[in-house]
Amino acid sequence: MPDLRRDAEQWSQPRGQMLMRLPITLHMATDAGEPVAERAGVRRWLERANADLAPFGIQLEVRAVRHLPEGWDSVTRWGQRRQLAHYAPTDGTIHVFVIEELDRRKRPVLGRKVRGLHWRYRGVNPKLAQREYIMVTRGAPTTTLAHEIGHLFGLRHSTATDNIMCSCRRGSNVGFTYDQGMLMRDGVRAYMAKQNVRYGTRHADRRRR
């Protein structure tokens, strides 16, 4: 079984610029005590997200993998989303919940289930202030995590089918634009300032003499 924390260190890193290393806490929903998704599949989401974020000096690093209690494999109601926020404290990590089902109802126009979601608390409860997280379902495409990371750092939906921020993205050359990458870097700075933690280190190519 892949070790997500160990394997994250092997992903390619941009050289000669400020590398924004973003810690992730993975929360795995369980069924009968077993995770609803295989770690190999989650690893592919992370590898794809890092490949798309790398040109902009952003890297996701798994710091912890936790199992959720029974009953969180399906999150289909607004109240459940709010309750799930209690598992996503402002601890300096990006919380990603891996679940089985997010929305039982198919969209009438697109005919597809919702596979990912970026959730942010907007109420007045001080205990939930600044809570936000990402949910991705077990059967999600490999680009879904990158799409939700884009939302986390301020990107809106795109209408271009070769863009990760398009709900109808398709093709072999799907990615972020340069402008989106620069917006995400600004979003990273704002997010980590809110979390009150350091996010980056300068990574120089030491092989050069």
Side-chain angles (χ1 to χ4, degrees):
M1 179 178 294
D3 186 325
L4 293 172
R5 284 167 289 186
R6 180 200 64 207
D7 295 339
E9 297 177 356
Q10 301 176 3
W11 296 326
S12 60
Q13 301 173 0
R15 302 287 181 176
Q17 61 175 308
M18 179 64 75
L19 177 61
M20 295 178 166
R21 301 177 184 270
L22 304 177
I24 283 184
T25 297
L26 283 173
H27 302 266
M28 309 290 285
T30 59
D31 183 16
E34 295 295 326
V36 299
E38 295 182 359
R39 289 196 178 189
V42 178
R43 183 178 182 274
R44 286 192 290 270
W45 300 345
L46 289 159
E47 287 178 328
R48 176 57 194 265
N50 273 332
D52 289 311
L53 294 168
F56 314 110
I58 301 171
Q59 180 178 327
L60 308 178
E61 296 185 338
V62 177
R63 295 289 177 85
V65 181
R66 299 172 182 169
H67 287 185
L68 287 168
E70 296 285 336
W72 287 109
D73 56 314
S74 178
V75 180
T76 60
R77 299 189 303 274
W78 182 89
Q80 289 178 298
R81 297 178 185 181
R82 180 168 177 170
Q83 292 170 12
L84 198 60
H86 291 283
Y87 292 95
T90 52
D91 58 2
T93 71
I94 298 170
H95 294 272
V96 178
F97 293 89
V98 182
I99 64 174
E100 175 71 29
E101 189 176 37
L102 182 56
D103 190 350
R104 290 192 180 97
R105 297 173 300 174
K106 290 186 177 181
R107 293 184 177 183
V109 176
L110 300 178
R112 294 195 305 273
K113 288 186 176 181
V114 177
R115 297 298 191 182
L117 176 75
H118 166 234
W119 185 92
R120 177 183 293 127
Y121 180 66
R122 301 182 184 279
V124 296
N125 185 341
K127 293 183 179 180
L128 295 179
Q130 299 184 356
R131 299 285 177 101
E132 58 186 314
Y133 59 79
I134 288 170
M135 283 191 288
V136 182
T137 63
R138 179 177 63 87
T142 57
T143 54
T144 299
L145 177 59
H147 178 96
E148 301 306 332
I149 288 290
H151 283 313
L152 177 69
F153 296 135
L155 298 188
R156 297 183 179 182
H157 280 125
S158 169
T159 57
T161 57
D162 64 348
N163 193 284
I164 281 182
M165 297 312 296
C166 180
S167 296
C168 301
R169 56 195 178 276
R170 59 180 179 271
S172 58
N173 294 316
V174 174
F176 294 109
T177 67
Y178 175 82
D179 288 343
Q180 286 175 325
M182 294 302 99
L183 286 172
M184 281 192 292
R185 284 186 68 88
D186 290 340
V188 169
R189 294 185 185 97
Y191 178 85
M192 301 313 283
K194 182 172 62 178
Q195 297 280 323
N196 195 31
V197 297
R198 297 183 62 183
Y199 57 77
T201 57
R202 186 169 298 279
H203 186 91
D205 190 345
R206 296 183 179 179
R207 293 175 299 178
R208 296 179 180 176
R209 298 293 182 180

